[in-house]
Amino acid sequence: MKYSIVCLLVFLGPFASFVAAQEEGWGNLTGQIVVAGDAPKNDEEPVGSNKDRAACLVDGKVPLDDAIVVSDENELKNVFVIMYTGRGANKPDSFHPMYDKSKTATMTLDNQKCRFVPKALFARTGQKLALKNSDGVGHNCRIATFNHEHNVNIPPNSSVEITLGDDDDKLPGDVFCDIHKWMDSIIFVRENPYVAITDENGKFTIENIPPGEWTFQFWHKKAGYMKTLEVDGYKLGRRGETEIKIEAGKELDLGKLTFDAGDFKD
């Protein structure tokens, strides 16, 4: 009988893992954000006659602004999906152990062709952030969120490491290069790890969320709170928030969430 049970577990390997995850009591949230209509066109970056112009061109051309990145299928990149933990909101008693590693991992914010890469970044409080410069010209990295301020010069082809503070930001904040004024990025710093940023296909996944009723917000730099986002079965508030029920051992797929192109800000 003992031998039979062992054989059964080996045979059901992937299924057994799913059952274990279900018993642990965690759920996933996923979805995809698309734009309805024509998103605003991105203008050329104001590279002008900057002394580093040659190093900032991409394939010999002035790059376009990347504030709004939409795929050929109108999928929207760089939307932040955030578990809201502000006043009156439910807050998890604990985080899944998988997030312990993200707390101690060093994140990287690179400078490539006078662009911050990635454009949007989420980091945990107290986490190390490597400010990398892959260019042959010097850059400056000025982080200016509500609770985090850093101003670091980065020599060509080098890297400088900083440690983020222990205070949560309520919303993503800005990163600038004071040498190349058009360069910008977005960073969100918070202890709670239940945050996702949509990829080039507009997709997001937040893994291993405790079961319960949680408030999630949707935010984009050129839209702000995405209060007009259309989510089937959910109504969003003025801060782009809605209540979502997460069930143990299940993945909730919100499907395609639609944002009207006319609701982007100038």
Side-chain angles (χ1 to χ4, degrees):
M1 180 67 176
K2 183 176 180 180
Y3 175 78
S4 299
I5 293 174
V6 171
C7 289
L8 181 62
L9 290 175
V10 171
F11 177 74
L12 295 177
F15 178 76
S17 298
F18 171 77
V19 172
Q22 189 173 17
E23 289 176 352
E24 290 173 6
W26 308 89
N28 293 351
L29 177 67
T30 187
Q32 183 183 34
I33 298 180
V34 298
V35 176
D38 295 326
K41 300 297 183 182
N42 291 320
D43 297 324
E44 287 188 349
E45 298 282 26
V47 175
S49 59
N50 186 281
K51 64 182 179 64
D52 298 323
R53 177 184 172 87
C56 299
L57 301 181
V58 179
D59 296 328
K61 298 179 181 180
V62 175
L64 297 178
D65 176 26
D66 57 351
I68 300 175
V69 180
V70 179
S71 73
D72 292 340
E73 302 298 325
N74 272 19
E75 300 148 340
L76 182 59
K77 187 178 180 180
N78 294 331
V79 175
F80 284 80
V81 184
I82 303 167
M83 178 187 280
Y84 176 69
T85 57
R87 183 180 300 175
N90 291 332
K91 303 176 181 64
D93 294 328
S94 61
F95 310 137
H96 189 277
M98 69 171 282
Y99 291 106
D100 293 344
K101 290 183 179 180
S102 72
K103 179 75 172 181
T104 58
T106 299
M107 303 288 290
T108 298
L109 180 62
D110 199 359
N111 292 262
Q112 300 176 11
K113 295 288 186 179
C114 301
R115 286 286 182 89
F116 285 112
V117 179
K119 177 74 173 184
L121 179 69
F122 169 63
R124 307 281 298 282
T125 54
Q127 193 167 6
K128 294 185 184 301
L129 180 61
L131 305 176
K132 185 179 178 182
N133 183 1
S134 295
D135 289 339
V137 299
H139 286 294
N140 164 263
C141 183
R142 178 164 58 89
I143 297 174
T145 74
F146 189 81
N147 284 316
H148 298 268
E149 291 188 11
H150 295 270
N151 198 340
V152 181
N153 289 324
I154 317 169
N157 301 306
S158 66
S159 182
V160 177
E161 188 173 275
I162 64 172
T163 301
L164 298 168
D166 294 327
D167 294 322
D168 281 356
D169 282 326
K170 292 183 179 179
L171 284 175
D174 293 310
V175 182
F176 301 104
C177 175
D178 293 316
I179 301 171
H180 309 97
K181 300 292 187 180
W182 64 90
M183 290 178 60
D184 67 312
S185 183
I186 315 157
I187 188 170
F188 183 42
V189 184
R190 194 183 70 165
E191 174 62 17
N192 186 307
Y194 295 114
V195 177
I197 303 172
T198 56
D199 63 17
E200 63 275 8
N201 300 123
K203 294 182 178 181
F204 67 89
T205 299
I206 304 178
E207 297 180 302
N208 292 313
I209 306 168
E213 295 273 354
W214 309 108
T215 301
F216 286 89
Q217 291 178 298
F218 298 86
W219 185 95
H220 184 274
K221 182 173 183 178
K222 284 296 185 178
Y225 293 117
M226 302 178 76
K227 58 186 178 182
T228 61
L229 190 69
E230 292 185 13
V231 189
D232 288 345
Y234 296 89
K235 184 178 180 180
L236 272 62
R238 63 187 181 88
R239 293 182 178 175
E241 83 281 2
T242 189
E243 296 239 342
I244 294 176
K245 184 178 181 180
I246 299 297
E247 298 185 49
K250 294 184 179 180
E251 178 170 284
L252 175 60
D253 186 356
L254 297 177
K256 286 190 176 182
L257 293 68
T258 306
F259 186 73
D260 194 300
D263 291 331
F264 283 111
K265 298 177 181 179
D266 295 332

